[in-house]
């Protein structure tokens, strides 16, 4: 699999509007952070996690040509509000006013996987998508799929990918992490994407271990050094990563409090306090902040 970080920033993005702090004015491109989203490609499938406000820019920048499915963590604006730009990948019927030709993507629409609350928010926030129209501009043709019916024994199947919803806690909100698994030539490759959380339930740790063992890649929420009520701090993210024991760990959903290089240094300085991360690093594994445009091959 191939993992592309299309965005690694928090809800404001970085630079923050109107902010002239040292990070928002940094010349280091690793300090430019679109809202968090990833593009995952297997041999057969192309999928994204979350469609934030910059999704169109991300899709163009990272060359997305097709999508087989979309996975949404939760319905906060920074993870959802670019949803309409999915229409390029699946169109409803629209009448061209110049030649009266109509075109519509075959099938039930692009599958969108999320929990029930998120699906209800999509229907409410993007209600025009689900209302019939006689003519006008195109709309995305979406097939909303409730991920609660999928579990460890019944994963979502997207061509050669198996995808498992992972329960997370984001303040008072329950949201969904995603575990992507591809089996090829007797080898299992895996990516665990766990963003926007301040708690990972025990059953989620157990699920990841049962399905993937030690994942090849863990992407985990780490907002900033200071504690937060709805997100992991860097230290808390490292603590969770120490339990999951992925071969490579990347922190995402980062604020404008620190330069990339400062976060990298913080992680390297504190690895010694986490036995499993220390062992993983000694074997050549990565424990580092992610940055926009980072590509990881699994």
């Amino acid at each position: 699999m191939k993992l592309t970080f299309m965005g690694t920033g928090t809800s404001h993005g970085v630079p923050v509007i109107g902010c002239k702090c040292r990070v928002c004015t940094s010349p280091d491109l690793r300090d430019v952070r679109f809202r968090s989203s990833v593009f995952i490609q297997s041999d057969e499938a192309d999928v994204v996690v979350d469609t934030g406000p910059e999704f169109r820019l991300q899709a163009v920048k990272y060359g997305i040509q097709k999508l087989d499915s979309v996975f949404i963590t939760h319905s906060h604006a920074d993870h959802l509000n670019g949803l309409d730009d999915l229409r390029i990948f699946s169109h409803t019927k629209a009448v061209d006013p110049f030649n009266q030709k109509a075109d519509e993507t075959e099938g039930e629409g692009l599958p969108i996987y999320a929990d029930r609350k998120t699906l209800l928010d999509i229907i409410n926030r993007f209600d025009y998508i689900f209302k019939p129209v006689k003519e006008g501009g195109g709309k995305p043709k979406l097939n909303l799929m409730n991920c609660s019916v999928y579990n460890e024994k019944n994963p979502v199947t997207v061509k050669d990918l198996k995808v498992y919803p992972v329960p997370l806690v984001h303040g008072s909100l329950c949201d969904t992490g995603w575990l992507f698994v591809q089996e090829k030539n007797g080898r299992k490759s895996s990516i665990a994407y766990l963003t926007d959380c301040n708690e990972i339930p025990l059953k989620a740790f157990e699920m990841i271990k049962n399905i993937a063992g030690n994942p090849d890649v863990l992407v985990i929420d780490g907002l900033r050094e200071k504690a937060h009520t709805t997100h992991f701090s860097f230290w808390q993210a490292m603590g969770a990563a120490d339990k999951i024991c992925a071969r490579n760990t990347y922190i995402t959903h980062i604020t404008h409090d620190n330069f990339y290089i400062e976060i990298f240094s913080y992680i390297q300085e504190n690895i010694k306090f986490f036995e499993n991360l220390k062992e993983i690093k000694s074997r050549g594994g990565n424990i580092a902040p992610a940055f926009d445009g980072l590509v990881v091959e699994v």
Side-chain angles (χ1 to χ4, degrees):
M1 287 186 285
K2 178 181 176 181
L3 167 68
T4 302
F5 287 91
M6 300 197 299
T8 57
T10 187
S11 57
H12 288 298
V14 183
V16 176
I17 294 172
C19 184
K20 298 298 182 182
C21 76
R22 63 196 187 100
V23 176
C24 287
T25 56
S26 169
D28 189 339
L29 293 179
R30 295 173 298 182
D31 295 325
V32 176
R33 301 166 184 142
F34 280 176
R35 266 60 77 93
S36 292
S37 179
V38 290
F39 178 35
I40 295 175
Q41 300 164 277
S42 67
D43 292 336
E44 300 175 9
D46 293 343
V47 305
V48 297
V49 181
D50 288 337
T51 56
E54 289 106 357
F55 177 70
R56 175 187 160 279
L57 299 176
Q58 293 167 326
V60 171
K61 182 174 182 178
Y62 298 108
I64 300 179
Q65 299 295 309
K66 70 178 181 69
L67 283 177
D68 297 295
S69 292
V70 175
F71 296 87
I72 304 294
T73 57
H74 63 300
S75 61
H76 284 168
D78 55 318
H79 295 263
L80 185 63
N81 276 15
L83 192 79
D84 184 79
D85 288 320
L86 292 173
R87 57 182 159 154
I88 200 69
F89 302 108
S90 182
H91 293 272
T92 55
K93 190 173 184 179
V95 177
D96 185 326
F98 297 102
N99 58 26
Q100 297 298 299
K101 288 184 179 179
D103 184 30
E104 181 171 354
T105 305
E106 295 181 357
E108 297 180 351
L110 180 64
I112 309 294
Y113 293 93
D115 64 26
R116 182 177 182 276
K117 183 184 183 304
T118 299
L119 296 181
L120 291 174
D121 285 344
I122 289 173
I123 292 169
N124 179 58
R125 195 177 305 170
F126 300 91
D127 62 328
Y128 62 91
I129 292 176
F130 307 99
K131 293 178 179 178
V133 292
K134 293 183 179 179
E135 60 183 53
K139 302 184 301 181
K141 185 177 182 180
L142 307 180
N143 184 15
L144 302 185
M145 306 292 290
N146 188 341
C147 70
S148 65
V149 303
Y150 299 96
N151 52 47
E152 188 173 331
K153 296 181 179 179
N154 178 38
V156 178
T157 300
V158 185
K159 296 185 176 178
D160 60 345
L161 280 181
K162 294 188 184 303
V163 188
Y164 302 81
V166 179
L168 301 175
V169 177
H170 182 30
S172 60
L173 178 71
C174 294
D175 71 347
T176 307
W178 297 98
L179 176 62
F180 298 87
V181 177
Q182 180 187 29
E183 295 190 47
K184 180 180 178 181
N185 299 328
R187 183 185 181 277
K188 183 183 290 186
S189 303
S190 56
I191 298 169
Y193 187 79
L194 312 179
T195 193
D196 283 53
C197 58
N198 63 305
E199 180 185 342
I200 300 176
L202 177 60
K203 64 181 179 181
F205 284 114
E206 292 174 344
M207 174 189 294
I208 293 169
K209 182 65 67 176
N210 290 341
I211 296 168
N214 303 123
D216 292 289
V217 174
L218 167 65
V219 182
I220 192 163
D221 182 1
L223 189 72
R224 61 191 189 189
E225 187 173 349
K226 184 180 176 182
H228 192 274
T229 56
T230 63
H231 292 271
F232 280 150
S233 65
F234 299 149
W235 180 271
Q236 291 169 322
M238 293 176 72
D242 195 60
K243 294 179 181 179
I244 294 172
C245 296
R247 295 178 178 87
N248 300 280
T249 294
Y250 299 94
I251 290 176
T252 193
H253 211 283
I254 303 167
T255 69
H256 64 151
D257 288 8
N258 295 97
F259 296 124
Y260 170 89
I261 192 63
E262 290 175 338
I263 305 168
F264 182 86
S265 296
Y266 175 95
I267 292 170
Q268 304 313 309
E269 289 169 4
N270 286 288
I271 282 176
K272 61 178 178 277
F273 297 109
F274 300 93
E275 289 301 319
N276 292 325
L277 294 185
K278 187 167 60 175
E279 174 64 21
I280 290 165
K281 182 183 178 183
S282 72
R283 298 198 303 265
N286 287 314
I287 303 98
F291 57 88
D292 290 20
L294 173 64
V295 176
V296 179
E297 300 276 357
V298 179

